[in-house]
């Protein structure tokens, strides 16, 4: 489902490109989980702290999903804003995140100014408010609280469709991705296994058919075949049973991935089986059915040899499909392109597509989840650099005055550029400090909340008739203690920019889960304090994830040294580099256990 | 004072005679020794050759009998009352110096300055 947060705050640019699209498109960066309206009463307290700011601060934010709240260390602000026609406006986010770049202690004051001036100047910019289905707890626009107090009900949804900003493209693609994920199940996924199943059924039935057909067709002519045939029957039966069980164990598993090209080994084996069985049938038809062969024992032996051969083909399949790639031969380095998270894995001999599937299996449980909000340097630093680069001289025949001036500007720009690392360092320190403070508050709030409830044992029910306590099930207990920690949780998630991944519903469910299993507050918090692997945030649906394998070599070729391929998703990609594992030369050295002897090193001084 | 094991050692020595001083029950000489074939020669601060396991004078108490007799810190003791001190253990050296029935010890000591002085006097004329 699509969620559109009701943003608040005015857009500061009355640009022609700013027209509201039909309420299908989200102006938010965040993936679809529903968000919650936070209760007014809790946010009222925040409102007083929001200072004003000049109008410039509103327009753009790149990569601040959900706005920074009070804790946004980054500036999504651009220079004097009235001329920014092409900036997409996520006013709600940028409201909180567009702080002026000077000192921290003025930020609050500026925020306060900003909110007041915005409200006053933007009365003309009303547009449609679209409420999300479900409850966004962590609405990115904390300003909604303020505005609710100032101008109740005035909310603005700002969407731009024609911005050349890459973010809105991402939104569109995300929308299409949502749409495509809701398409009906692909039947192509099951084509391969179905074919394999048919073939194996055919192969298993064939020996039985070989045995039964002569009995059915020319029973009276057949020579009787006593004990040796019965022995062959028994061995045939057991071999078929073994074939059946091992096929079930090895091959009858739902496929976990669809590969772009044929899986070479599997195709090879299926062709082999088919040819084999077909040639046996051919021989059977020509030599047995035609002349109505009477030597029944020979036919039984023929069927037994078919079953032996099938067993050997299954052995071949086992080795090719399951065993060959177990011995490690290559080391794959997997790097995520957006934030540089990397891991090393050891794999065996695989084709590129199989190696890709292998890597993706491990990606979902090893890599921390991709958070687009954490990516960019604060705007202040980047824009400083960019304005520094804008110095250039248009005219060759400049007077001395202007050359001197431009040289001075270049020098000034160079000097200015030198300070951005300083800024970055201090902003990082500030951000760390803020996160730690919020974390401390959160931990304390959760600990206190957990002390409010305790588990009721069976014998306690009857022991206190004078103090009837309300008995709750886990869900109610979770709801009862959630309110006291909700605010600290919201602020912490907003500071660490995780609010997109956790909705109020999910937090409540997790709380209920922890209460049921007697977990401590620390165990409850582990899910929020560290970004978990991507698997933790996946919604279970049968549609699967779409990844694109990008490679210069054909994807069925096997891994080699120096190969590079990448797995692309909509907004990030994983780049995989292949290096062979080093050849190890292991030597031997024998140490006699009696050879460990020691002496003391002395330097004593004696007075005489 | 480099030496090769097994070869005779040649050195310029000074003869020093120390009268033992009686202090209570003990006869003391007023200096400390270090070194010995069972010790670590690398930690000897006075030897030139760090594989030299001879007995060296490591400390001289001021005003004691050794100081008055002219013993100096860093001297290597080659003989004590005729007993060789170049290839002895630390304990053997101590025993030879502190025999209770002897009142006087006659040491042959060598030091670098002695060699230099002899060499100088040889090259002068």
């Amino acid at each position: 489902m699509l969620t559109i947060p009701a943003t608040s705050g005015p857009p500061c640019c009355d640009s022609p490109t700013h027209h509201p699209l039909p309420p299908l498109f989200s102006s938010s960066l965040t993936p679809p989980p529903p968000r919650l309206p936070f209760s007014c009463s809790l946010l009222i307290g925040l409102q007083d702290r929001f200072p004003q700011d000049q109008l410039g601060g509103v327009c753009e934010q790149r990569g601040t999903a959900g706005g920074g709240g009070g804790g946004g260390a980054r500036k999504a602000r651009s220079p004097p804003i009235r001329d920014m026609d092409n900036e997409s406006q996520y006013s709600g986010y940028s409201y909180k995140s567009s702080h002026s770049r000077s000192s921290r202690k003025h930020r609050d004051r500026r925020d306060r100014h900003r909110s007041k001036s915005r409200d006053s100047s933007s009365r003309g910019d009303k547009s449609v408010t679209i409420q999300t289905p479900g409850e966004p707890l962590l609405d990115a626009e904390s300003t909604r609280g303020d505005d609710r107090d100032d101008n109740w009900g005035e909310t603005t949804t700002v969407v731009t469709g024609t911005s050349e900003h890459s973010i809105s493209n991402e939104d569109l693609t995300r929308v299409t991705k949502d749409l495509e994920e809701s398409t009906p199940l692909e039947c192509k996924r099951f084509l391969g296994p179905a074919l394999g199943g048919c073939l194996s059924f055919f192969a298993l039935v064939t020996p039985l058919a070989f045995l039964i057909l002569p009995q059915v067709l020319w029973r009276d002519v057949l020579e009787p075949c006593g004990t040796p045939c019965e022995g062959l029957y028994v061995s045939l039966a057991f071999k078929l049973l073994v074939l059946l069980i091992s096929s079930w164990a090895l091959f009858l598993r739902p496929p976990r991935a669809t590969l772009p090209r044929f899986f070479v080994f599997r195709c090879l084996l299926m062709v082999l089986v088919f040819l084999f069985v077909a040639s046996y049938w051919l021989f059977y038809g020509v030599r047995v059915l035609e002349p109505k062969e009477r030597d029944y024992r020979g036919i039984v032996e023929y069927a037994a040899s078919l079953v032996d051969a099938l067993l050997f083909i299954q052995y071949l399949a086992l080795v090719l499909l399951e065993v060959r790639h177990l011995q490690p031969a290559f080391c794959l380095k997997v790097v995520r392109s957006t934030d540089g998270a990397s891991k090393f894995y050891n794999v065996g001999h695989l084709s590129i597509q199989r190696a890709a599937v292998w890597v993706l299996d491990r990606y979902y449980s090893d890599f921390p989840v991709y958070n687009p909000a954490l990516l960019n340097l604060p705007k202040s630093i980047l824009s400083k650099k960019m304005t520094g680069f804008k110095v250039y001289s248009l005219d060759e025949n400049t007077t001395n005055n202007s050359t001197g001036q431009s040289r001075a500007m270049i020098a000034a720009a160079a000097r200015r550029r030198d300070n951005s690392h300083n800024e970055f360092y201090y902003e990082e320190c500030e951000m760390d400090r803020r996160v730690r403070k919020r974390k401390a508050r959160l931990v304390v709030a959760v600990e206190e909340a957990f002390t409010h409830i305790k588990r009721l044992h069976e014998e306690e029910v009857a022991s206190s008739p004078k103090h009837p306590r309300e008995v709750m099930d886990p869900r109610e207990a979770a709801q009862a203690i959630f309110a006291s920690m909700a605010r600290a949780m919201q602020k912490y998630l907003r500071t660490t920019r995780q609010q997109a991944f956790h909705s109020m519903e999910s937090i409540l469910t997790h709380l209920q889960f922890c209460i049921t299993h007697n977990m401590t507050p620390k165990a409850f918090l582990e899910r929020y304090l560290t970004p978990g692997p991507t698997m933790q945030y996946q919604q279970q649906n049968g549609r699967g994830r779409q990844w694109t394998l990008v490679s210069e070599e054909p994807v069925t070729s096997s891994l080699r040294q120096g190969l590079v391929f990448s797995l692309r998703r909509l907004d990030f990609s994983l780049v995989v580099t292949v290096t062979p594992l080093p050849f190890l030369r292991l030597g031997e050295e024998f140490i006699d256990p009696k050879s460990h002897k020691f002496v003391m090193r002395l330097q004593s001084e004696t007075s005489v | 004072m480099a030496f090769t094991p097994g070869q005779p050692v040649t050195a310029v020595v000074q003869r020093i005679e120390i009268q033992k001083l009686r202090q209570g029950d003990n006869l003391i000489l007023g200096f400390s020794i270090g070194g010995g074939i069972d010790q670590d020669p690398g930690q000897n601060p006075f030897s030139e050759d760090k594989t030299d396991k001879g007995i060296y004078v490591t400390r001289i108490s001021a005003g004691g009998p050794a100081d008055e007799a002219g013993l100096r810190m860093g001297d290597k003791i080659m003989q004590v009352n005729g007993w060789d001190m170049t290839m002895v253990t630390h304990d053997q050296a101590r025993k030879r110096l502190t025999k209770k029935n002897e009142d006087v010890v006659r040491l042959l000591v060598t030091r670098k300055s002695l060699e230099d002085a002899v060499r100088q006097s040889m090259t002068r004329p």
Side-chain angles (χ1 to χ4, degrees), chain A residues 600-608, chain B residues 29-33 39-40 58 90:
Chain A
M600 287 285 286
R601 291 191 85 99
L602 298 173
Q603 188 61 31
S604 50
E605 189 183 338
T606 337
S607 40
V608 294
Chain B
L29 286 162
F31 65 97
S32 300
I33 54 167
Q39 305 282 314
D40 180 10
T58 56
H90 191 85

Side-chain angles (χ1 to χ4, degrees), chain A residues 454-465 469:
Chain A
K454 77 175 190 115
R455 186 172 268 270
L456 184 66
H457 298 286
E458 300 301 321
E459 53 275 9
E460 284 181 9
V461 178
S463 66
S464 60
R469 296 189 225 167

Side-chain angles (χ1 to χ4, degrees), chain A residues 72-235:
Chain A
R74 61 192 55 186
K75 317 268 174 90
R77 195 163 50 112
S78 50
I81 295 300
R82 293 283 176 184
D83 356 307
M84 303 292 277
D85 286 339
N86 300 340
E87 297 302 328
S88 66
Q89 305 175 6
Y90 302 92
S91 60
Y93 306 95
S94 57
Y95 179 65
K96 266 348 271 173
S97 51
S98 55
H99 301 302
S100 108
R101 68 189 63 167
S102 50
S103 74
R104 292 289 138 232
K105 58 188 175 182
H106 296 307
R107 186 180 359 113
D108 285 351
R109 216 173 303 140
R110 240 173 279 259
D111 279 347
R112 198 169 297 129
H113 295 318
R114 197 192 313 140
S115 78
K116 292 206 186 115
S117 66
R118 169 177 322 171
D119 296 332
S120 58
S121 68
S122 66
R123 304 228 177 236
D125 274 341
K126 285 197 200 202
S127 64
V128 182
T129 304
I130 298 153
Q131 274 296 341
T132 68
E135 317 162 348
L137 157 74
L138 308 164
D139 63 326
E141 304 73 47
S142 67
T143 66
R144 250 179 86 201
D146 321 315
D147 283 3
R148 256 183 263 189
D149 300 322
D150 285 340
N151 331 298
W152 186 261
E154 173 185 273
T155 47
T156 315
T157 304
V158 177
V159 290
T160 62
T162 60
S163 156
E164 51 186 86
H165 200 295
S166 64
I167 301 298
S168 62
N169 284 341
E170 271 195 34
D171 279 352
L172 292 177
T173 48
R174 184 162 286 113
V175 165
T176 52
K177 182 180 75 171
D178 292 346
L179 289 178
E180 103 190 352
E181 280 187 10
S182 60
T183 52
L185 197 57
E186 281 184 352
C187 298
K188 207 176 73 156
R189 199 202 276 201
F190 298 109
L191 185 63
L195 204 61
C198 288
L199 196 61
S200 55
F201 176 72
F202 179 53
L204 283 176
V205 160
T206 303
L208 299 175
F210 284 179
L211 291 179
I212 290 175
L213 279 178
Q215 296 277 353
V216 164
L217 292 180
W218 60 91
R219 191 195 189 101
D220 33 352
V221 188
L222 277 180
E223 294 169 12
C225 164
T227 325
C229 270
E230 283 162 13
L232 283 171
Y233 288 158
V234 171
S235 80

Side-chain angles (χ1 to χ4, degrees), chain A residues 515-534:
Chain A
I515 292 177
T516 315
H517 292 275
N518 290 329
M519 292 205 194
T520 58
K522 202 164 170 182
F524 165 69
L525 280 176
E526 67 83 28
R527 191 181 168 153
Y528 304 107
L529 293 181
T530 49
T534 316

